[in-house]
Amino acid sequence: MFLRWLGSHIRIGVGLDRQVGRVSSPGVSVVCADVSKVLPLRGGDFDHVVMLAVLEHLDNPTETLREAFRILKPGGSLIISWPAVSVDPILNILHRLAIV
């Protein structure tokens, strides 16, 4: 949902979710993958990696972060959030709007 919401603001977006099959719409692909393992993506392909409230659910977030940096282009950005008093209201609004 987040990638679809971004729509015209991105050229190509890939979402990873271990609970869905492969689906796509123009400019957006969703790939069934476990983010705690090696990702089925080429290294250095992405300008940005976004993980909203993901790391706190992982047994070994270090491996996931290593993979995030592997798939980023040099100079790319990693955008992360985790539950916090200042972040939770924003995530709740995004969830209610069916964006995340």
Side-chain angles (χ1 to χ4, degrees):
M1 294 306 293
F2 181 67
L3 290 171
R4 288 188 186 114
W5 178 75
L6 286 173
S8 64
H9 300 288
I10 59 173
R11 188 169 36 95
I12 298 172
V14 176
L16 300 174
D17 191 322
R18 66 185 175 113
Q19 298 175 336
V20 299
R22 183 180 282 272
V23 296
S24 64
S25 62
V28 173
S29 294
V30 176
V31 177
C32 183
D34 183 343
V35 298
S36 67
K37 307 218 183 297
V38 174
L39 300 175
L41 303 168
R42 290 189 333 206
D45 272 1
F46 295 87
D47 295 314
H48 311 284
V49 171
V50 178
M51 289 189 274
L52 303 176
V54 172
L55 294 180
E56 69 275 8
H57 299 286
L58 303 175
D59 292 331
N60 188 1
T62 302
E63 291 301 318
T64 299
L65 291 170
R66 187 174 288 123
E67 276 297 287
F69 283 109
R70 181 186 69 78
I71 66 172
L72 277 172
K73 291 180 180 176
S77 63
L78 173 60
I79 302 162
I80 60 175
S81 73
W82 53 87
V85 173
S86 59
V87 175
D88 288 348
I90 296 166
L91 290 174
N92 288 336
I93 289 169
L94 294 174
H95 185 70
R96 275 184 280 194
L97 295 173
I99 295 171
V100 295

